[in-house]
């Protein structure tokens, strides 16, 4: 509603602007008419009258201009229609006045009524231009009739003049009126469609702005959360460091006395301190095994405590006789395997192995864990076989495979995906051997990957497990 009222105001302003030009054009036409030799009356149009009319036209137009500006300034849009009607009405009266004043009936003055018709197309909808056309033809004829009677000296015959001049003008104006009204309607329709479109777009823009604001809010919230998280993360890191330090210190303190206990058990079991009966031997063996377990757990804890260090740490690579390293690890487990009557075998390659570049302490840790797991998760009377496969020793990138194979409890399909995760232990393993940390494999795989090797496994629950390690013979130069 407001939009169409504004449109109406701009239409009025457009007409007011146009009027400055055509009033001047009409003044010029008035002056030129005096040079027209074909004019019948020969009457001279007084320049004074012309200028007076011109001034009057300017004055009225100025009044309209002031009113339009007042409407615009104060938002009095209800006065738009009144302004439009006043403009057209004044113009019609003015033109009628001119026609009467010049007392010319065969001049082009009637044609000037075309102007208010055009203006009414701009100012009104359908019915307006029709009314203005009718009014124009009506006024032209009234002036004509009055002219015949008021100026008898001109001896103008009504009928010929009517038939040749005003009647065709009337007909033309009526036809124009109809066209003008449909043109006005068409233009207004288009205008309104455009307004509707603009309004729709404005709503879209508003929606987008709203969305944009919401997004900004969300981004701010996210930023705040991010800051919060960063702080929380920093706190966690501090706590984590404190925890690692605590574990490292305590486990370190535990390791030495535990080793002493283990070797004491070992000496007693091996009857180096005197003979034992079968029952004593069995109990002491259990004591030895348990100590071995605790040492493994403490080792795991120590390793994970220094895991962060391992992550950033360079491996201490040296060329190593791999079989010697493996044998010394296996030797550590003879007691443990014997106590469960597990057959612990090492299958070596027929050819001698070249020196393998590795970090012996770290690889020992990995091997210990794999062999320990194999014995730990294999029931009594089972077998644990360690195979060294040198099939890839003569390839472009020479490497060896170490396979630790057991006939133990195996790993279920679901657990297989998580077995390398920190602290993860499968339910069957927990049930079979409650002691354990779920850290060995997690640390082991990291160490092997730092050797540019690989670690994986194949397992079937209830049947057994094979853990594979690939170790390259040479490490890339650092
Ligand atoms: P831990 O042995 O202390 O639990 P590990 O990281 O060495 O920790 O092993 C993680 C888990 O992987 C074990 O808890 C067990 O579920 C499974 N696992 C590892 N080795 C074997 C194996 N040889 N046989 C069956 N399960 C195994």
């Amino acid at each position: 509603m407001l939009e169409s009222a504004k449109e109406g105001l701009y239409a009025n302003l457009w007409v007011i602007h146009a009027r400055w030009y055509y009033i001047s054009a009409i003044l010029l036409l008035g002056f030129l008419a005096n040079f027209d030799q074909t004019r019948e009356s020969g009457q001279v149009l007084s320049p004074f009258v012309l200028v007076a009319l011109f001034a009057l036209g300017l004055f009225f137009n100025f009044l309209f201009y002031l009113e339009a500006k007042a409407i615009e300034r104060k938002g009095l849009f209800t006065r738009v229609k009144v302004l439009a009607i006043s403009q057209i009405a004044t113009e019609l009266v003015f033109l009628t006045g001119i026609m009467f004043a010049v007392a010319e009936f065969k001049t082009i003055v009637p044609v000037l009524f075309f102007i208010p018709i055009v203006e009414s197309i701009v100012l009104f909808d359908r019915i307006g231009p029709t009314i203005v056309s009718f009014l124009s033809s009506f006024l032209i004829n009234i002036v004509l009739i009055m002219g015949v009677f008021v100026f008898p000296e001109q001896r103008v015959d009504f009928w010929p003049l009517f038939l040749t001049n005003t009647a065709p003008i009337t007909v033309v104006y009526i036809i124009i009126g109809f066209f003008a009204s449909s043109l006005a309607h068409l233009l207004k329709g288009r205008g309104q469609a455009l307004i509707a479109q603009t309004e729709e777009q404005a709503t879209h823009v508003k929606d987008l702005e709203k969305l944009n604001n919401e997004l900004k809010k969300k981004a701010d919230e996210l930023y705040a959360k991010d800051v919060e998280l960063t702080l929380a993360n920093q706190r966690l890191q501090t706590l984590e460091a404190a925890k690692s330090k605590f574990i490292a210190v305590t486990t370190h303190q535990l390791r030495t006395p535990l080793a002493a206990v283990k070797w004491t058990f070992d000496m007693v079991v091996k009857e180096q301190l005197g003979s034992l009966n079968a029952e004593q031997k069995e109990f002491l063996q259990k004591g030895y095994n348990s100590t071995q377990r605790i040492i493994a757990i403490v080792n795991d804890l120590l390793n994970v405590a220094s895991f962060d260090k391992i992550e950033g740490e360079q491996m201490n690579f040296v060329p190593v006789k791999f079989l010697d390293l493996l044998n010394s690890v296996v030797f550590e487990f003879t007691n443990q395997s014997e106590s469960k009557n597990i057959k612990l075998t090492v299958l070596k390659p027929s050819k001698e192995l070249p020196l393998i570049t590795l970090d012996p302490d770290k690889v020992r840790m990995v091997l210990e864990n794999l062999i320990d797991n194999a014995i730990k998760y294999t029931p009594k009377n089972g077998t644990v076989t360690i195979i060294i496969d040198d099939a890839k020793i003569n390839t472009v990138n020479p490497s060896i495979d170490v396979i630790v194979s057991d006939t133990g409890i195996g790993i279920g399909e679901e657990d297989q995906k998580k077995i390398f995760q920190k602290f993860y232990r499968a339910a069957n393993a927990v049930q079979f051997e409650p002691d354990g940390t779920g850290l060995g494999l997690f640390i082991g795989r990291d160490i092997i990957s730092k050797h540019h090797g690989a670690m994986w496994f194949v397992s079937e629950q209830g049947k057994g497990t094979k853990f594979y390690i690939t170790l390259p013979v040479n490490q890339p130069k650092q």
Side-chain angles (χ1 to χ4, degrees):
M1 184 62 201
L2 188 70
E3 283 303 318
S4 64
K6 269 188 193 163
E7 284 280 299
L9 177 65
Y10 294 137
N12 272 285
L13 275 166
W14 184 87
V15 167
I16 292 165
H17 280 301
R19 195 172 289 120
W20 298 126
Y21 298 103
Y22 75 71
I23 289 184
S24 315
I26 292 172
L27 174 72
L28 193 68
L29 214 70
F31 280 127
L32 291 177
N34 286 332
F35 300 102
D36 183 1
Q37 300 301 317
T38 61
R39 277 173 6 115
E40 276 180 12
S41 70
Q43 188 183 339
V44 174
L45 299 172
S46 143
F48 175 74
V49 173
L50 284 173
V51 172
L53 281 172
F54 177 67
L56 205 60
L58 288 184
F59 173 69
F60 271 104
N61 207 30
F62 187 62
L63 287 185
F64 294 143
Y65 178 76
L66 287 181
E67 168 68 354
K69 282 290 158 193
I71 292 173
E72 194 177 35
R73 220 177 28 250
K74 298 179 190 158
L76 305 165
F77 291 107
T78 40
R79 274 166 37 183
V80 169
K81 270 262 140 60
V82 180
L83 174 64
I85 293 170
S86 323
Q87 286 208 69
I88 297 294
T90 313
E91 204 153 60
L92 286 175
V93 171
F94 214 72
L95 287 173
T96 312
I98 293 178
M99 203 175 149
F100 200 75
V102 298
E104 286 268 356
F105 309 113
K106 289 172 81 178
T107 61
I108 54 161
V109 178
V111 178
L112 294 180
F113 279 84
F114 205 72
I115 295 166
I117 297 176
V118 172
E119 288 173 356
S120 65
I121 297 174
V122 180
L123 293 174
F124 307 111
D125 203 343
R126 206 182 267 292
I127 196 76
T130 316
I131 294 174
V132 176
S133 305
F134 273 100
L135 268 175
S136 301
S137 50
F138 175 73
L139 289 170
I140 292 166
N141 283 300
I142 286 282
V143 174
L144 170 77
I145 294 163
M146 282 178 69
V148 172
F149 297 110
V150 175
F151 304 104
E153 71 278 6
Q154 284 197 17
R155 277 176 276 102
V156 178
D157 292 332
F158 175 74
W159 285 112
L161 191 63
F162 176 76
L163 287 175
T164 58
N165 212 329
T166 60
I169 289 174
T170 308
V171 173
V172 168
Y173 275 12
I174 287 169
I175 294 169
I176 287 173
F178 280 118
F179 276 117
S181 69
S182 23
L183 186 63
H185 188 63
L186 203 81
L187 286 178
K188 294 284 173 332
R190 286 217 183 139
Q192 255 140 31
L194 269 177
I195 289 170
Q197 225 174 9
T198 318
E199 274 169 1
E200 202 180 310
Q201 274 164 1
T203 339
H204 277 289
V205 169
K206 266 192 197 136
D207 283 352
L208 280 177
E209 269 172 7
K210 221 169 106 188
L211 212 68
N212 199 18
N213 284 341
E214 267 169 37
L215 276 177
K216 262 193 202 146
K217 230 170 93 186
K218 284 266 174 298
D220 287 348
E221 277 171 21
L222 274 179
Y223 180 72
K225 281 264 174 302
D226 190 38
V227 172
E228 226 173 85
L229 276 177
T230 313
L231 288 176
N233 199 21
Q234 277 168 1
R235 276 199 298 275
L236 266 181
Q237 273 174 359
T238 322
L239 281 177
E240 178 81 6
K243 186 200 75 186
S244 297
K245 200 170 170 192
F246 172 75
I247 294 175
V249 171
T250 29
T251 45
H252 227 87
Q253 300 298 320
L254 282 174
R255 238 182 12 175
T256 324
L258 276 173
V261 175
K262 180 182 150 184
W263 291 116
T264 312
F265 271 123
D266 190 56
M267 281 162 77
V268 179
V269 169
K270 286 180 179 157
E271 297 183 351
Q272 287 169 355
L273 302 174
S275 56
L276 299 167
N277 63 34
E279 200 182 359
Q280 284 172 327
K281 206 170 177 178
E282 195 192 322
F283 274 102
L284 285 167
Q285 181 64 53
K286 276 190 184 151
Y288 173 88
N289 288 351
S290 298
T291 317
Q292 178 75 19
R293 288 260 65 71
I294 301 170
I295 290 174
I297 291 171
V298 167
N299 279 343
D300 273 355
L301 286 175
L302 233 141
N303 292 338
V304 86
S306 62
F307 180 72
D308 293 340
K309 244 173 68 203
I310 289 180
E311 257 200 297
E313 194 189 324
Q314 298 283 342
M315 294 284 120
N316 201 2
F317 293 126
V318 283
V320 169
K321 283 188 173 174
F322 187 75
L323 281 180
D324 292 353
L325 175 69
L326 181 68
N327 283 334
S328 84
V329 175
V330 172
F331 181 70
E332 283 178 35
F333 288 94
T334 34
N335 264 345
Q336 204 179 324
S337 59
E338 274 169 15
S339 72
K340 283 177 89 176
N341 197 27
I342 286 172
K343 200 171 154 217
L344 181 61
T345 335
V346 179
L347 298 181
K348 297 168 191 164
S350 48
K351 283 185 202 151
E352 201 180 324
L353 285 179
L355 291 175
I356 316 261
T357 306
L358 47 78
D359 182 327
D361 291 339
K362 302 284 176 344
V363 172
R364 167 180 284 273
M365 220 191 276
V366 180
L367 293 172
E368 277 175 351
N369 184 250
L370 290 185
I371 299 169
D372 182 49
N373 280 351
I375 299 173
K376 191 163 68 174
Y377 298 121
T378 300
K380 280 184 178 165
N381 309 319
T383 51
V384 171
T385 316
I386 301 144
I387 306 159
I388 294 136
D389 182 357
D390 66 348
K392 289 181 268 179
I393 209 79
N394 290 320
T395 57
V396 189
N397 293 313
S399 65
I400 55 160
D401 282 345
V402 183
I403 304 145
V404 180
S405 163
D406 65 57
T407 55
I409 59 171
I411 304 165
E413 243 175 75
E414 273 307 301
D415 293 317
Q416 293 193 5
K417 297 171 204 153
K418 306 175 192 162
I419 228 71
F420 287 107
Q421 287 172 14
K422 205 174 184 178
F423 299 116
Y424 189 80
R425 301 195 70 212
N428 66 336
V430 176
Q431 202 185 7
F432 192 76
E433 176 55 67
D435 296 335
T437 55
L439 291 170
L441 292 181
F442 168 71
I443 295 165
R445 183 140 93 166
D446 185 66
I447 291 173
I448 297 300
S449 85
K450 286 200 165 67
H451 280 75
H452 307 96
M455 183 175 183
W456 73 104
F457 66 91
V458 178
S459 182
E460 199 179 329
Q461 193 159 2
K463 294 220 166 138
T465 309
K466 278 184 183 164
F467 269 93
Y468 293 79
I469 300 176
T470 297
L471 279 172
V473 171
N474 306 304
Q475 290 299 321
K477 289 204 169 51
Q478 282 155 359

